[in-house]
């Protein structure tokens, strides 16, 4: 999709959605198995570096089976982790040069990323991760065509899919005081806009969240920053040994079927307090959803008459502290702000039970 018209003032680097997220860690086969449980199917292997591509719908996840360079260093520093992500752009060379001119920094020298060391258009991303700009994607002229194809993957994908379609958004957890660094980065380099700002307070801890949206409206990156030393954001940063991707949200056209299929395979989801489900009809009168089926699956709902609805659920920590979200949008373009508070409360309750934080009775 070499759409020169997209290289305009509003979308100066021609961004056009997420292409992939890249993972590394000490047990790559376990990571691949986890992704397969979630409905992803291995389709290609990069012969240059033994990186496996897993696909479902329009989503690509890459896993380093034999990490080297940055991927090896990242695994050593962070354990199971996301060491890179890619934005699709209209023209990679133009976007890369434009990004450098607009203040991004090149990933220096031999980067060791998933696309192998001869891929030139790689920037420095959050927490030492790699940020690629890529202009060959999709099934036509895909960059994976040059990789070794796994025989029969199309049929295998059809059988294994749980209905996930698109990488909707992913979040970054940033260190205290760094929210503006990263909102400024995405704004000045890619012309992301600030979408919504939330101040979320629990009983003892809190966080700020600033949602950033790219000019193509398809790349969305909410940034989370702690308000104190003990919140779940700080706990993530300690556990992950740095800033990085916190959760990755994937869309489905039928969240009930997707989540039921994932549960049947043994994927673990975050639980929600029982009273949440009792309050849905009061909070969102006339929502029209099957609350009993939501309760059974612990699926959350948010939105309003004006903004439309969304259904969502979060997995348990999957790769180190990184987890996934399954989301079905029904006109709502937010991130589940109302649920954000509910989720925050439920995680904080867990922190209190584990003794990580204390509240006065
Ligand atoms: Fe989310």
């Amino acid at each position: 999709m070499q759409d020169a018209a997209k290289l305009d003032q509003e979308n100066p680097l021609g961004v056009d959605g997420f292409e992939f997220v890249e993972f590394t860690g000490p047990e790559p086969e376990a990571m691949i198995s986890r992704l397969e449980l979630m409905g992803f199917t291995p389709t290609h292997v990069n012969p240059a570096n033994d990186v496996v591509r897993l696909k479902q719908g329009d989503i690509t996840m890459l896993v380093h089976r034999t990490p080297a360079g940055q991927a090896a260093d990242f695994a050593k520093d962070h354990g199971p982790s996301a060491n890179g992500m890619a934005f699709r752009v209209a023209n990679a060379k133009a976007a890369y040069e434009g990004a450098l001119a607009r203040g991004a920094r090149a990933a220096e020298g031999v980067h060791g990323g998933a696309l192998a060391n001869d891929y030139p258009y790689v920037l420095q991303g959050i927490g030492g991760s790699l940020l690629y700009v890529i202009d060959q994607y999709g099934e036509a002229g895909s960059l994976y065509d040059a990789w070794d194809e796994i025989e029969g993957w199309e049929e295998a994908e059809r059988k294994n899919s749980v209905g996930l379609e698109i990488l909707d958004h992913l979040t970054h957890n940033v260190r205290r005081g760094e929210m503006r660094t990263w909102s400024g980065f995405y704004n000045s380099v890619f012309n992301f806009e600030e979408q919504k700002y939330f101040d979320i307070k629990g009983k003892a801890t809190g966080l700020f969240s600033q949602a950033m949206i790219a000019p193509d409206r398809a790349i969305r990156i909410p940034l989370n920053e702690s308000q104190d030393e003990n919140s779940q954001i700080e706990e993530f940063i300690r556990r992950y040994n740095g800033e990085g991707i916190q959760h990755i949200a994937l869309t489905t056209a039928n969240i009930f079927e997707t989540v039921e299929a994932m549960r049947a395979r043994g994927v673990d989801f975050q639980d929600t307090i029982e009273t949440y489900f009792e309050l849905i009809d009061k909070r969102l009168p006339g929502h029209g959803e099957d609350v009993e089926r939501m309760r059974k699956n612990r699926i959350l709902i948010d939105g309003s008459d004006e903004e439309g609805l969304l259904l969502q659920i979060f997995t348990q920590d999957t790769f180190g502290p990184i987890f996934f979200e399954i989301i079905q949008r029904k006109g709502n373009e937010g991130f589940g702000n109302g649920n954000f508070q509910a989720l925050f409360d439920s995680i904080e309750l867990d922190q209190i039970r584990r003794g990580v934080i204390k509240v006065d009775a």
Side-chain angles (χ1 to χ4, degrees):
M1 266 182 251
Q2 306 282 331
D3 186 355
K6 280 192 172 158
L7 288 174
D8 56 19
Q9 233 176 1
E10 195 187 301
N11 189 355
L13 304 190
V15 295
D16 188 22
F18 289 102
E19 174 54 30
F20 63 72
V21 179
E22 168 182 355
F23 297 97
T24 185
E27 294 175 9
E29 293 301 339
M31 297 181 111
I32 290 168
S33 300
R34 293 295 282 273
L35 288 168
E36 287 179 310
L37 269 188
M38 294 173 60
F40 289 88
T41 298
T43 70
H44 295 79
V45 178
N46 188 342
N49 56 13
D50 202 26
V51 164
V52 181
R53 177 205 185 204
L54 295 104
K55 174 182 179 294
Q56 183 172 190
D58 192 36
I59 311 162
T60 284
M61 304 290 185
L62 304 179
V63 179
H64 286 261
R65 248 183 345 202
T66 316
Q70 184 263 8
D73 294 343
F74 214 86
K76 211 183 309 151
D77 291 346
H78 304 282
S81 48
N83 65 305
M85 64 173 179
F87 292 169
R88 298 166 179 168
V89 293
N91 179 311
K93 186 170 188 289
Y96 177 74
E97 287 167 359
L100 296 182
R102 297 166 71 91
R105 283 185 292 178
E108 300 287 344
V110 178
H111 55 71
L115 299 189
N117 287 316
D118 55 0
Y119 189 80
Y121 309 125
V122 193
L123 305 165
Q124 293 181 29
I126 182 89
S129 67
L130 302 171
L131 173 53
Y132 308 76
V133 286
I134 286 172
D135 66 9
Q136 288 182 304
Y137 52 85
E139 292 316 306
S142 143
L143 64 97
Y144 313 106
D145 287 351
W147 297 17
D148 295 336
E149 190 173 4
I150 295 168
E151 211 180 310
W153 67 265
E154 284 106 332
E155 177 63 16
E157 188 199 351
R158 260 192 302 280
K159 283 191 184 141
N160 192 41
S161 171
V162 296
L164 297 175
E165 294 177 336
I166 289 168
L167 204 170
D168 182 273
H169 65 273
L170 54 79
T171 60
H172 293 343
N173 283 351
V174 306
R175 291 186 193 280
R176 291 164 74 191
E178 298 297 326
M179 174 85 87
R180 292 291 139 212
T181 308
W182 288 101
S183 62
F185 171 81
Y186 286 115
N187 171 260
S188 58
V189 176
F190 295 99
N191 205 26
F192 280 50
E193 287 167 25
E194 295 188 353
Q195 199 179 8
K196 281 196 175 160
Y197 180 83
F198 302 120
D199 180 351
I200 293 155
K201 284 211 191 310
K203 287 193 181 71
T205 66
L207 68 87
F208 302 115
S209 184
Q210 172 68 66
M212 303 299 294
I213 185 161
D216 68 325
R217 318 305 281 179
I219 301 177
R220 297 184 255 211
I221 304 179
L223 306 169
N224 301 321
E225 179 186 319
S226 183
Q227 297 184 9
D228 53 76
E229 282 173 19
N230 295 314
S231 76
Q232 58 193 263
I233 306 305
E234 284 302 291
E235 198 184 358
F236 175 100
I237 286 171
R238 279 197 293 272
R239 212 175 133 198
Y240 198 66
N241 195 24
E243 301 178 314
I245 292 174
Q246 177 214 36
H247 77 259
I248 300 163
L250 311 171
T251 64
T252 170
N254 187 328
I255 197 166
F256 293 105
E257 286 178 7
T258 295
V259 170
E260 283 163 6
M262 290 172 81
R263 283 191 183 282
R265 292 174 182 200
V267 175
D268 293 321
F269 290 92
Q270 291 182 22
D271 203 359
T272 300
I273 45 172
E274 190 59 32
T275 46
Y276 174 91
F277 298 96
E278 292 163 25
L279 295 171
I280 287 175
D281 290 345
K282 202 170 154 193
R283 182 161 65 94
L284 297 165
H287 58 79
E289 297 295 330
D290 182 344
V291 174
E292 230 5 82
R293 204 171 171 190
M294 290 172 64
R295 182 201 303 269
K296 227 172 110 205
N297 286 291
R298 312 318 262 182
I299 289 167
L300 310 175
I301 185 167
D302 197 31
S304 64
D305 281 352
E306 307 81 55
E307 293 182 316
L309 297 172
L310 65 79
L311 298 167
Q312 65 186 166
I313 189 168
F314 300 88
T315 68
Q316 297 280 357
D317 294 351
T318 306
F319 298 137
I322 301 172
F323 56 97
F324 290 86
E325 172 183 347
I326 310 302
I327 184 168
Q328 182 178 2
R329 292 189 182 278
K330 295 188 161 190
N332 187 296
E333 294 303 315
F335 301 93
N337 178 33
N339 288 328
F340 211 155
Q341 182 71 53
L343 172 70
F344 191 88
D345 290 345
S346 64
I347 293 178
E348 195 184 63
L349 181 61
D350 180 61
Q351 286 183 300
I352 292 166
R353 283 178 184 155
R354 286 184 291 117
V356 177
I357 51 180
K358 290 184 170 53
V359 280
D360 297 327

